[in-house]
Amino acid sequence: MDHDLAMRAEAVAMLWQRIQTEEEPLLVVGMRDRGWQPSQLLEGPGRTFLYSLPGALVIIVVWAWLRFSGRKVRATEHEASLKALEGDVKALGATGRAAQGKPSTRPKR
């Protein structure tokens, strides 16, 4: 092939390529490009569901730990302290009445 002819062919090819790139749409045109193709639409909820499962599990575990870890222990300790306080009050009430010479109001068993 002649050198002049090769240069002209290359120039024509470059012009054709430039024309093709200028005619390409600047904005997205197809359904696939916009993200509205049915297969793409169905991927979204599935992915969201899969990503939300570990998050929901973490939230439930944290909630259960906060709800049940300290409360049972505090409730048991509070009940024991209330019973001890009640016993102390009864003992003080009995000794106070005996010291004043009044009969005890405690029911006899």
Side-chain angles (χ1 to χ4, degrees), residues 33-94:
D33 297 329
R34 290 184 192 155
W36 288 103
Q37 193 171 11
S39 64
Q40 287 176 318
L41 291 176
L42 292 176
E43 288 175 6
R47 187 179 311 130
T48 303
F49 179 73
L50 287 177
Y51 287 153
S52 65
L53 283 178
L57 182 65
V58 166
I59 289 172
I60 290 171
V61 166
V62 167
W63 173 81
W65 181 72
L66 290 174
R67 173 115 174 120
F68 298 113
S69 68
R71 265 199 193 160
K72 294 265 184 181
V73 173
R74 284 193 307 266
T76 306
E77 289 175 354
H78 183 65
E79 186 69 30
S81 69
L82 284 179
K83 286 189 180 200
L85 187 60
E86 184 180 332
D88 290 345
V89 168
K90 283 183 182 179
L92 287 175

Side-chain angles (χ1 to χ4, degrees), residues 11-29:
V12 169
M14 288 184 68
L15 282 173
W16 176 255
Q17 189 177 13
R18 187 181 321 154
I19 290 171
Q20 289 299 318
T21 57
E22 287 175 356
E23 288 179 0
E24 284 181 359
L26 294 177
L27 302 175
V28 249
V29 176

